[in-house]
Amino acid sequence: MSATASIPIIRPDDYSATTHPGDLLSRRQRLVYVLVLGALTALGPFTVDLYLPAFPVLQDELGVSAAAVQLTLTGTMVGFGVGPWSDKVGRRLPLILATALHIAASVGAAFAPDIVWLSVFRLLQGFGAAAGGVVAMAMVRDLFGGKPLVRMLSRLALVNGLAPVLAPVIGSQLLAVMDWRGVFVVLAIYGAVVVAAVSFFIVETLPESRRHVAGHSTLRDRYAALFRDRVYLGAAIIGGMTFTGLFGYLSTSSFLFQEVYAFTAQQYGMLFAVNSIGIIIGVQTSSRLMRGPVQPQWILAITTIVQFSMAVAIMVLDSSGAGFWGTAIPLWIFILSCGFAFPAVQVLALAHHGAEAGTAASLLGALNFGLAGLISPLIGLMGVGSAVPMAFVMLLAAAVAIVALWALVRPKTVPALSD
């Protein structure tokens, strides 16, 4: 089956014939986009989560601290400069090049002799994975807008949401038959499958005529449009803080549950899967609400309060000796609220920036991963002997998100989504 047989080429005329070219796609063609672009965006979570169960083993084998191992996770949180480039040259070429870099870096990580080289290859690996995810999101915005954008993002998020559920489970099972280096070989194979799918089934969604829109044609114009929009800036900060709280859990949970609560790698993988189901429930419920009368800013008004409250609950319950369940229950609710927040942030940030979708998605991703990468290693420095350091970072992140929502976004002033 050829690409042109499966997916129509998006022509410049399509943009004058309909507001959103994605409306021209059949159900089968939309399914192809969901699966391939979902696999691209899932490459990032798989890159982060697949080797989480190996953290304690990696620490022992390389003879480094927990904070040093966590920094190999932080090293994946780059790669967002490709978004503005894709606004200039189109989407397909950056997708293929970024994913090819991910493959090469995965092979390098598999043969890394020490923590320094592992961190270098993780940096390159993260660059490729993050860039692919950003451009995939920009492609969705190229094709859809308004509530159709919400529907497409929710379907993409469903595919993407399976990644954090499956990755630690798969990773823990892989560790039963191979060492941590083999996990990176598996990531290289996954990347190769994805780049083949992009090459065969994905066509250009940003035609030449749309790369030079008046007032949005230069990098300076595109960033100026974003920084003048307080709603976009507020949404980006909320997204960054939400992911910082979640990333605090990601970078700490392996040590917390395997060392403090004495879970095996397989038990940890199952627990991680149960927690990640909360993200899927949140994403799909949030997207369904936004397809109705509920606007994204009001979803964020609730999620930020829930995140703050659950962080406080974890700190209080852990300090009072409540044990595993005192951490696990409020943590699951915190993760659920993150799932509610993510599609709301994406829709709020991208809905009015179709002319610079790649740049908008890039900056959104950079803040998400950049802030998380800078802040969450503090947990390792504070120690992972209890859940309190993790919850403290979650609390600070939620507090900043609340301020950003009411000081910048100002929910009552945000225009409603179009049908």
Side-chain angles (χ1 to χ4, degrees):
M1 180 171 59
S2 67
T4 54
S6 306
I7 303 173
I9 296 174
I10 306 300
R11 299 178 297 271
D13 290 345
D14 294 337
Y15 289 87
S16 60
T18 179
T19 303
H20 307 304
D23 296 339
L24 301 174
L25 299 176
S26 68
R27 289 186 63 182
R28 179 184 178 187
Q29 292 160 348
R30 291 189 188 197
L31 178 61
V32 173
Y33 267 101
V34 168
L35 292 177
V36 177
L37 296 182
L40 269 165
T41 56
L43 187 59
F46 262 105
T47 298
V48 171
D49 297 341
L50 196 65
Y51 91 130
L52 283 178
F55 269 21
V57 175
L58 195 151
Q59 180 184 357
D60 291 340
E61 182 174 325
L62 297 182
V64 295
S65 67
V69 176
Q70 286 173 320
L71 284 174
T72 69
L73 196 62
T74 304
T76 65
M77 305 294 105
V78 294
F80 299 97
V82 174
W85 183 46
S86 75
D87 281 336
K88 183 178 180 180
V89 303
R91 312 299 189 200
R92 195 168 179 272
L93 178 62
L95 272 183
I96 294 173
L97 292 179
T99 311
L101 175 62
H102 178 275
I103 297 168
S106 297
V107 174
F111 294 97
D114 54 40
I115 194 69
V116 174
W117 277 107
L118 178 61
S119 297
V120 169
F121 286 119
R122 287 290 285 171
L123 187 73
L124 295 173
Q125 193 182 37
F127 184 98
V134 163
V135 178
M137 190 185 303
M139 293 181 81
V140 173
R141 183 59 186 88
D142 289 339
L143 297 173
F144 301 95
K147 292 189 176 179
L149 174 64
V150 175
R151 286 192 291 271
M152 191 62 176
L153 284 175
S154 69
R155 291 163 184 164
L156 201 65
L158 180 59
V159 177
N160 189 29
L162 292 173
V165 176
L166 296 176
V169 178
I170 294 172
S172 61
Q173 296 305 314
L174 288 174
L175 288 173
V177 297
M178 64 180 66
D179 64 9
W180 61 268
R181 297 179 186 276
V183 173
F184 289 110
V185 175
V186 172
L187 282 171
I189 295 171
Y190 174 39
V193 172
V194 170
V195 79
V198 171
S199 301
F200 282 104
F201 298 117
I202 295 297
V203 297
E204 185 56 65
T205 61
L206 187 66
E208 180 71 28
S209 62
R210 296 194 70 238
R211 301 173 196 172
H212 307 287
V213 180
H216 301 270
S217 60
T218 69
L219 184 62
R220 180 178 178 180
D221 290 339
R222 292 192 291 270
Y223 274 114
L226 297 177
F227 282 105
R228 285 196 299 263
D229 183 357
R230 60 173 173 78
V231 174
Y232 175 86
L233 292 177
I237 293 172
I238 294 168
M241 290 298 102
T242 300
F243 196 82
T244 294
L246 182 63
F247 195 68
Y249 154 71
L250 291 175
S251 64
T252 306
S253 60
S254 180
F255 296 107
L256 179 64
F257 289 108
Q258 291 187 76
E259 296 185 357
V260 177
Y261 297 120
F263 277 41
T264 65
Q266 287 69 37
Q267 289 171 331
Y268 166 71
M270 293 303 298
L271 174 69
F272 196 96
V274 170
N275 285 341
S276 297
I277 289 172
I279 295 180
I280 296 178
I281 294 172
V283 165
Q284 294 304 302
T285 306
S286 177
S287 299
R288 185 170 293 275
L289 289 172
M290 286 188 289
R291 294 202 298 270
V294 181
Q295 297 297 304
Q297 65 272 22
W298 296 114
I299 291 176
L300 295 176
I302 296 174
T303 60
T304 50
I305 294 298
V306 170
Q307 289 164 20
F308 185 89
S309 301
M310 292 304 102
V312 171
I314 292 172
M315 294 180 70
V316 171
L317 290 171
D318 186 80
S319 299
S320 62
F324 166 74
W325 291 109
T327 297
I329 294 175
L331 178 61
W332 192 88
I333 298 173
F334 181 96
I335 294 168
L336 172 71
S337 71
C338 290
F340 271 87
F342 288 140
V345 166
Q346 291 176 352
V347 171
L348 198 61
L350 297 178
H352 302 291
H353 290 286
E356 54 276 329
T359 306
S362 179
L363 183 58
L364 188 65
L367 282 174
N368 278 3
F369 289 102
L371 290 173
L374 288 173
I375 296 173
S376 60
L378 294 176
I379 301 173
L381 297 177
M382 290 187 287
V384 288
S386 74
V388 171
M390 175 186 72
F392 179 69
V393 169
M394 291 174 172
L395 183 147
L396 289 180
V400 174
I402 291 171
V403 173
L405 177 70
W406 295 102
L408 290 175
V409 175
R410 303 174 200 166
K412 291 183 180 180
T413 68
V414 178
L417 293 172
S418 64
D419 293 327

